[in-house]
Amino acid sequence: MADTTPIEWTRSEDGTPGATWNPVTGCTKISEGCDHCYAETFAERWRGTSGHHFENGFDLTLRPDRLRLPLTWTKPRRVFLNSMSDLFHQDIPDTYIAKVFAVMAIAGQHTFQILTKRHARMRALLSSPSFWHQVAHEGREHFTGCQQDWLAAGAMLGGRPLPNVWLGVSVENQRWADIRIPALLETPAAVHFLSCEPLLGPVDLKQAVRTMGSERGHGLTASYVHAGGCCRTLHGIDWVIVGGESGPKARAMHPDWARSLRDQCAAAEVPYFFKQWGEFAPETHGHNSGATVLIDGQGRTWNETDAPAMPNVVRMRRVGKKHAGRLLDDRLHNAFPASGTPHTTIELEGRTLR
């Protein structure tokens, strides 16, 4: 949708801004992390405005005129796919999702980041050989290449994930970590990542992967997966993004939740990216103004009278996203994962499918 975006985790390692691409806009709420959706808030401002891109507010809308947008970008970049929707929403046809993947297959110079809360549909589609042949069919019909080459591409994609597509799930608390992380790890992808934003409670990553036969947490990283022959098909968590909530109805993030995920990632050698505190920052960061929220380690809020008797209660100040900043214990955390496996190339009538 935009040639550049300020989203921090879509930037290149050299600081070059990434882009957003929205072949679909609009969505519906599915879990606690959706309660104060920034995309919905933005889109609904324009509902009823004749001729505006969001004339229908945040209603789910396919945007086929935007499907080819990444093919017009010659300079490689990271691209956040559907920042204004969820690609695996139940009302988006399989054929349309296949068209999106066909474009990503052609645009191998870019790295696409897909984030979803619809983990079950993502896993079902991307684990199905018939879906990847649908990708080949849609590419052949609507984009480029002859029938034989796209059939070959379909066979290739059915056997391995696209190397330039990163898959992620939203994880706002332990409940959704336990549900979404196993589904993510069971889905073929060059890079598996978590977006723990807004982080609304503590998350134990080892607990989330125990259901996959990994009681010692050894399913956390690709390095463990490919060593010793264990969990060979599970790949592992390759990247964790953490952030607090922003916006007028934001909920505060306890500092220990962000620290815990940082420490878990450090122990498992997983890249950790701290995106933001959000609207609230710890009072101990030097903030002595702004509305105060007292929050404990389980996300419960307390009044001034009861808080002193409760363990692990911290004072958070509403100072706004900009003033809250991105420092966690006086450090920036900007780690990114490796870029995935080397590209495989197939020539398509003068183009190269990577």
Side-chain angles (χ1 to χ4, degrees), residues 32 50 99 143 195 205 245 308:
E32 303 93 315
S50 180
K99 290 175 183 176
F143 299 105
S195 175
L205 296 178
E245 192 169 37

Side-chain angles (χ1 to χ4, degrees), residues 37-49 52 54-58 247-248:
C37 175
Y38 74 90
E40 178 188 40
T41 300
F42 175 82
E44 286 296 328
R45 295 176 187 170
W46 308 103
R47 181 179 288 277
T49 304
H52 194 277
F54 290 106
E55 180 179 356
N56 296 320
F58 206 50

Side-chain angles (χ1 to χ4, degrees), residues 323-341:
H323 288 99
R326 297 187 55 231
L327 293 179
L328 176 60
D329 293 334
D330 299 320
R331 281 192 56 194
L332 285 172
H333 297 271
N334 289 330
F336 280 86
S339 298
T341 56

